[in-house]
């Protein structure tokens, strides 16, 4: 199973950016997909997650600015980020949790990370 993330880059404060992540491989189902981020010198933190049935969790710091969405059929998850702030600068990692494989094993997977830099 691979998670391929894309969409990072440099954006000015107040700007917008959309991250996308596609999971591929011998996947039967994925319960939760989401995004985490890690800023320099800080621990990795949750940004947003969405379950198969649409239950969504946002970090307080991004509520009202970020929107997570998911395509269950395509095993993709997107993160629309608006009104970006310098403190949003981090490496954003895609995560797929409780991934049920065709052999019925259940695992957790991480993508390689994509850098988002918010700076003028």
């Amino acid at each position: 199973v691979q998670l391929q993330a894309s969409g990072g880059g440099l954006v000015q404060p107040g700007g917008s950016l959309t991250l996308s992540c596609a999971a591929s491989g011998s996947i039967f189902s994925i319960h939760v997909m989401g995004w985490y981020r890690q800023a320099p010198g800080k621990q990795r933190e949750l940004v947003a997650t969405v379950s198969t049935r649409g239950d969504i969790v946002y970090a307080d710091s991004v509520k009202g600015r970020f929107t997570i969405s998911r395509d269950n059929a395509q095993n993709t998850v997107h993160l629309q980020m608006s009104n970006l702030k310098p403190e949003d600068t981090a490496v954003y990692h895609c995560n797929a949790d409780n991934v049920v494989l065709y052999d019925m094993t259940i695992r957790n997977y991480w993508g390689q990370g994509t850098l988002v830099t918010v700076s003028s």
Side-chain angles (χ1 to χ4, degrees):
V1 173
Q2 289 189 327
L3 300 183
Q4 184 65 47
S6 61
L10 173 64
V11 63
Q12 292 186 342
S16 300
L17 209 58
T18 297
L19 305 181
S20 296
C21 176
S24 61
S26 300
I27 299 169
F28 178 74
S29 65
I30 304 175
H31 178 47
V32 178
M33 297 188 77
W35 293 92
Y36 291 72
R37 67 186 180 187
Q38 187 166 17
K42 295 188 177 181
Q43 290 188 332
R44 187 174 296 186
E45 63 177 4
L46 178 147
V47 177
T49 61
V50 55
S51 73
T52 306
R53 67 178 189 181
D55 297 321
I56 292 175
V57 175
Y58 289 108
D60 288 342
S61 60
V62 307
K63 284 180 180 177
R65 301 188 298 122
F66 291 11
T67 301
I68 191 169
S69 61
R70 173 176 175 173
D71 184 328
N72 292 328
Q74 298 295 323
N75 288 328
T76 57
V77 63
H78 308 282
L79 185 68
Q80 294 175 283
M81 305 183 292
S82 61
N83 191 20
L84 283 160
K85 304 175 181 180
E87 50 264 42
D88 294 318
T89 295
V91 175
Y92 284 69
H93 297 271
C94 176
N95 177 262
D97 193 22
N98 284 341
V99 179
V100 181
L101 306 179
Y102 281 117
D103 63 4
M104 293 296 111
T105 56
I106 302 175
R107 299 194 177 171
N108 180 283
Y109 293 95
W110 290 94
Q112 82 282 9
T114 184
L115 177 62
V116 172
T117 303
V118 184
S119 175
S120 55

